[in-house]
């Protein structure tokens, strides 16, 4: 697992992907932060910065997950790692942690840096700020897990990225569909899988174990699915 | 060392591997021979745990690959048909990665250096794999397969796409490796198995159609021995005298030369050596022998006939069914 993790980390920085991710993330998040807090004057609010930041995931999460599995299949290097003494779970978790490290490091560094001007020139609610950071981190880790799963379904990086973009858009907007739907039952389902309503707990400074469990299990389920996809290919019937 | 029992892999209705069983002893080099799509790669992929079998068992050192995947995989080095290389890594990074992946406990630097010397890739050690030629890539793949000194090495078409010089190098390397390890390699090049392997398994349409020691395979599979002989003498009478020799079942003129000599092909029964009687007969008639050799190298013929026979049997069986 550690070998897989190390190789993925290195591969982010021997290709432009890692640098692109950091560049886009820092540029866009800094711009959003300025717009929603520093320049917003009276209406300044950091929770809205973090909420908007979630939409940046549509672009940046696929960037780091799209090739994680699909590239291995395309280059046939899956034959190396699947015949090595590593478990499938080890392979998938190694990859997941590598993507999480890239995302988490960028996000945590930016969150700490952005807190400094807030603390210098205002009185931010630190607990709420921390809640937002944890919430965004959890949402991001769930999306990475989904991205890895989609990447395992195809050999084509482009399709993998496109699929992940669609999945993230769907999950982010699903609860806003709710107001257009009359059927109580469908509304129940939609809010049941809604990411944003769970995130709202953290954004409001509430540490909700339900929401925490929801995000962790979302990650776990899609990592498990990815292992199953590997497994299925091994048992392939066609 | 390696034991395969009734291994079957089905893709839909098609059998990629159909009920094959064989054993490989420790230290043996075994060649899988067969036309493209015969099931060689599938068998190897099952042995290494990349694919699973539909039914049957594959065991290494008595351990089933499906039941003890991690232990078994530690014992195997595998070079797939297309070497699994990460193009954006340098050779050094790649081999270090495999070393970590296999969780080896040798001294990493020394071990990798030793491997690079063995497969002769020291001079590209710090280059990106992307920039290497096909021959070097293949060798890096082989290096990857032998990292960690596995007991069993499985090579899927190791000399595929190499130039003749590289092919000779790789064959020597495999023979060298085979001194201490058990090796299975696949190929559709007949001279290759003959040059490298102790034993040959011919696979066709997912079935083993022959399993023989390399030195026996020709006599075991082919009825007649064949001698190619060039004789200086009147061709018609030489030919008729050759045919009269006890043990000769067939003789023909294959080529005539202007100096009056001709090349004859003489076939005799499997266990009969007709070289001496031929010599005495020719000496009596004062027809000098200019050259004489066994035409035993005709593995191609054997291979084609074995494959054809298997196919003929199968179609006969099918016709039998339909007519019954």
């Amino acid at each position: 697992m550690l070998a897989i993790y190390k190789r993925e980390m290195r591969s982010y920085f021997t290709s432009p992907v890692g640098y692109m991710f950091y560049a886009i993330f820092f540029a866009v998040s800094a711009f959003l932060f300025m717009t929603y807090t520093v320049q917003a004057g009276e209406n300044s609010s950091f929770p809205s910065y973090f909420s908007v930041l979630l939409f940046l995931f549509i672009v940046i999460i696929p960037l780091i997950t799209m090739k994680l599995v699909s590239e291995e299949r395309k280059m046939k290097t899956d034959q190396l790692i699947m015949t090595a003494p590593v478990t499938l779970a080890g392979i998938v978790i190694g990859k997941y942690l590598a993507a999480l490290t890239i995302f988490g490091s960028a996000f945590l560094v930016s969150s700490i840096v952005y807190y400094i001007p807030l603390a210098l020139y205002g009185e931010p609610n630190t607990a709420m700020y921390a809640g937002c950071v944890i919430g965004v981190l959890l949402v991001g880790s769930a999306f990475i897990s989904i991205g890895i799963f989609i990447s395992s379904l195809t050999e084509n990086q482009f399709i993998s990225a496109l699929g992940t973009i669609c999945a993230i858009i769907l999950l982010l907007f699903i609860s806003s569909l709710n107001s257009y739907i009359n059927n109580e039952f469908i509304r129940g389902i939609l809010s049941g899988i809604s990411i944003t309503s769970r995130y709202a707990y953290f954004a409001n400074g509430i540490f909700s174990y339900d929401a925490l469990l929801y995000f962790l299990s979302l990650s776990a389920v899609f990592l498990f699915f990815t292992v199953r996809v590997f497994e299925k290919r091994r048992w392939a019937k066609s | 060392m390696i034991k395969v029992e009734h291994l079957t892999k089905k893709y839909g209705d098609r059998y990629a591997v159909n009920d094959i069983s064989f054993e490989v002893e420790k230290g043996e080099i075994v060649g899988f021979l067969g036309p493209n799509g015969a099931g060689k790669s599938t068998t190897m992929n099952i042995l290494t745990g990349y694919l699973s079998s539909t039914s049957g068992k594959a065991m290494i050192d008595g351990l089933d690959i499906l039941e003890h995947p991690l232990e078994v995989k530690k014992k195997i080095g595998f070079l797939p048909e297309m070497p699994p290389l990460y193009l954006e890594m340098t050779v050094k990074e790649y081999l270090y990665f495999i070393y970590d992946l296999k969780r080896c406990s040798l001294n990493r630097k020394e071990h990798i250096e030793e491997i690079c010397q063995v497969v002769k890739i020291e001079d590209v050690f710090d280059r990106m794999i992307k920039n290497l030629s096909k021959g070097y890539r293949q060798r890096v793949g082989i290096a990857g397969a032998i990292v960690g000194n596995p007991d069993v090495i499985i090579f899927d078409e190791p000399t595929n796409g190499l130039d003749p010089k590289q092919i000779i190098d790789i064959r020597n390397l495999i023979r060298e490796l085979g001194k201490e390890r058990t090796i299975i390699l696949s190929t559709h090049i007949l001279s290759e198995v003959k040059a490298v392997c102790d034993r040959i398994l011919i696979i066709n349409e997912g079935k083993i159609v022959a399993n023989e020691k390399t030195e026996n395979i020709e006599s075991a599979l082919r009825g007649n021995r064949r001698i190619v002989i060039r004789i200086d003498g009147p061709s018609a009478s030489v030919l008729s005298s050759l045919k009269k020799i006890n043990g000769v079942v067939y003789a023909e003129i294959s080529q005539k030369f202007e100096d009056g000599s001709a090349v004859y092909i003489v076939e005799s029964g499997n266990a009969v050596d007709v070289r001496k009687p031929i010599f005495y007969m020719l000496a009596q008639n004062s027809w000098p022998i200019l050259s004489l050799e066994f035409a035993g190298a005709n593995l191609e013929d054997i291979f084609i006939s074995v494959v054809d026979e298997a196919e003929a049997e199968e179609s006969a069986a099918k016709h039998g069914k339909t007519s019954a």
Side-chain angles (χ1 to χ4, degrees):
Chain A
M1 191 179 99
L2 195 65
I4 301 272
Y5 172 80
K6 271 160 59 184
R7 202 204 70 75
E8 289 299 343
M9 286 304 284
R10 190 185 294 122
S11 126
Y12 278 128
F13 295 104
T14 49
S15 66
V17 172
Y19 303 101
M20 264 169 71
F21 177 85
Y22 281 130
I24 296 175
F25 183 85
F26 285 126
V28 178
S29 71
F31 172 77
L32 292 177
F33 178 75
M34 286 296 285
T35 317
Y36 283 91
T37 61
V38 181
Q39 293 177 332
E42 297 275 303
N43 304 320
S44 168
S45 96
F46 61 79
S48 53
Y49 154 68
F50 284 109
S51 303
V52 175
L53 193 62
L54 291 183
F55 292 93
L56 181 59
F57 288 178
I58 296 170
V59 186
I60 59 167
I61 297 290
L63 196 64
I64 51 172
T65 61
M66 62 183 183
K67 78 181 182 82
L68 278 179
V69 186
S70 55
E71 181 84 348
E72 302 261 10
R73 265 184 84 191
K74 193 173 166 198
M75 300 308 295
K76 307 261 191 219
T77 45
D78 59 339
Q79 268 185 312
L80 173 69
I81 53 175
M82 285 173 76
T83 57
V86 198
T87 58
L88 292 179
I91 294 172
V92 173
I93 291 172
K95 287 173 177 293
Y96 172 71
L97 289 180
L100 198 61
T101 307
I102 298 285
F103 160 71
S105 61
F107 176 65
L108 287 178
V109 166
S110 73
S111 299
I112 292 166
V113 170
Y114 300 159
Y115 185 74
I116 296 170
L118 289 183
L120 282 178
Y121 302 108
E123 288 155 0
N125 182 335
T126 309
M128 209 158 145
Y129 193 87
C132 286
V133 171
I134 293 172
V136 172
L137 210 53
L138 285 171
V139 175
S141 59
F143 285 165
I144 287 172
S145 171
I146 292 169
I148 291 178
F149 169 66
I150 292 174
S151 171
S152 74
L153 298 176
T154 170
E155 282 181 29
N156 188 323
Q157 283 188 40
F158 181 71
I159 293 175
S160 157
L162 210 62
T164 310
I165 288 172
C166 294
I168 294 177
I169 289 177
L170 195 71
L171 285 168
L172 286 177
F173 286 96
I174 212 162
S175 45
S176 31
L177 285 177
N178 254 354
S179 44
Y180 300 103
I181 289 170
N182 269 332
N183 190 317
E184 187 72 29
F185 179 68
I186 295 176
R187 264 215 306 266
I189 293 177
L190 289 184
S191 60
I193 56 178
S194 165
I195 289 227
T196 38
S197 61
R198 260 73 178 213
Y199 168 72
Y201 287 108
F202 292 101
N204 293 325
I206 303 165
F207 191 83
S208 154
Y209 283 102
D210 293 1
L212 179 72
L213 201 64
Y214 167 81
F215 285 120
L216 292 184
S217 45
L218 195 64
S219 292
V221 161
F222 279 99
L223 292 182
F224 175 72
F225 283 166
T226 311
V227 172
R228 299 312 295 175
V229 171
F230 270 103
E231 193 78 30
K232 176 182 165 278
R233 200 161 302 133
R234 179 172 282 173
W235 292 90
K237 290 219 165 57
S238 56
Chain B
M1 190 80 205
I2 303 173
K3 198 173 178 187
V4 170
E5 286 175 353
H6 304 293
L7 201 70
T8 299
K9 177 76 180 175
K10 256 176 112 171
Y11 286 120
D13 290 337
R14 207 178 66 81
Y15 285 94
V17 173
N18 190 354
D19 192 27
I20 67 171
S21 303
F22 64 89
E23 273 183 56
V24 181
E25 300 295 327
K26 197 172 167 60
E28 237 184 338
I29 305 182
V30 171
F32 280 7
L33 189 62
N36 291 322
K40 303 181 300 258
S41 294
T42 311
T43 309
M44 294 187 146
N45 281 331
I46 293 171
L47 274 175
T48 52
Y50 179 63
L51 291 177
S52 68
S53 53
T54 309
S55 65
K57 270 187 181 177
M59 286 182 290
I60 308 243
D61 267 349
L63 293 173
D64 192 310
I65 177 81
L66 288 178
E67 283 163 26
H68 307 273
L70 296 190
E71 289 95 321
V72 173
K73 283 173 185 176
K74 268 198 114 162
K75 293 178 196 285
I76 302 181
F78 181 35
L79 173 73
E81 204 167 349
M82 190 180 145
L85 304 170
Y86 291 99
L87 301 184
E88 80 284 358
M89 291 174 118
T90 64
V91 173
K92 178 182 168 185
E93 285 169 345
Y94 178 70
L95 294 176
Y96 277 22
F97 164 64
I98 295 182
Y99 180 94
D100 291 342
L101 194 67
K102 291 186 175 174
R103 273 175 276 187
C104 308
S105 47
L106 304 141
N107 179 311
R108 182 164 83 169
K109 193 162 177 286
E110 274 174 25
H111 180 55
I112 300 292
E113 269 172 15
E114 195 191 319
I115 286 175
C116 289
Q117 272 171 16
V118 172
V119 298
K120 298 193 184 112
I121 49 171
E122 306 114 301
D123 45 335
V124 296
F125 193 53
D126 289 312
R127 299 228 331 241
M128 281 241 265
I129 295 176
K130 185 159 55 179
N131 301 327
L132 298 182
S133 67
K134 173 89 177 121
Y136 270 115
R137 287 185 188 193
Q138 192 74 18
R139 273 188 267 177
V140 173
I142 292 175
I146 60 179
V147 167
N149 284 331
D151 298 336
V152 177
I153 308 178
I154 296 182
F155 289 128
D156 198 350
E157 306 202 354
T159 57
N160 202 1
L162 301 183
D163 69 38
K165 168 84 172 64
Q166 291 167 331
I167 289 179
I168 291 169
D169 282 351
I170 298 277
R171 283 182 192 164
N172 288 336
L173 174 63
I174 292 172
R175 259 195 301 256
E176 195 60 37
L177 293 170
K179 282 179 185 161
E180 299 149 33
R181 300 175 178 90
T182 310
I183 296 181
I184 297 183
L185 64 91
S186 80
T187 178
H188 50 251
I189 305 161
L190 300 142
S191 54
E192 187 157 295
V193 273
K194 225 188 151 196
V196 179
C197 302
D198 302 324
R199 199 143 59 85
I200 300 179
L201 286 176
I202 300 182
I203 300 182
N204 188 44
E205 299 200 339
K207 284 182 180 164
I208 294 182
V209 289
N211 178 357
E212 295 288 342
K213 291 255 182 216
T214 308
E215 63 261 30
N216 299 340
I217 193 150
E218 282 157 39
S219 53
L221 294 174
R222 178 174 201 93
N224 296 338
R225 279 198 197 186
R226 192 184 261 202
I227 299 169
V228 177
I229 181 166
R230 185 167 167 190
I231 301 165
D232 191 357
S235 55
S237 27
V238 171
L239 186 64
S240 65
S241 308
L242 281 174
K243 282 182 178 168
K244 277 178 208 151
I245 290 172
N246 209 357
V248 171
V249 293
Y250 178 75
E252 68 167 12
I253 300 170
S254 79
Q255 198 184 350
K256 281 187 182 177
F257 292 94
E258 284 182 4
D259 60 3
S261 66
V263 175
Y264 303 82
I265 293 174
V266 179
E267 283 186 18
S268 63
N270 189 6
V272 189
D273 190 352
V274 290
R275 285 174 298 178
K276 281 182 191 169
I278 289 177
F279 169 77
Y280 290 126
M281 181 276 288
L282 294 173
Q284 256 175 13
N285 293 304
S286 315
W287 295 326
I289 296 176
L290 301 180
S291 71
L292 184 150
E293 60 185 315
F294 264 117
N298 221 337
L299 208 53
E300 264 85 2
D301 287 351
I302 296 174
F303 176 64
I304 288 166
S305 74
V306 165
V307 168
D308 280 351
E309 255 170 51
E311 270 165 17
E313 267 171 37
E314 203 156 277
S315 67
K318 263 184 206 161
H319 283 293
K321 259 184 213 164
T322 48
S323 61

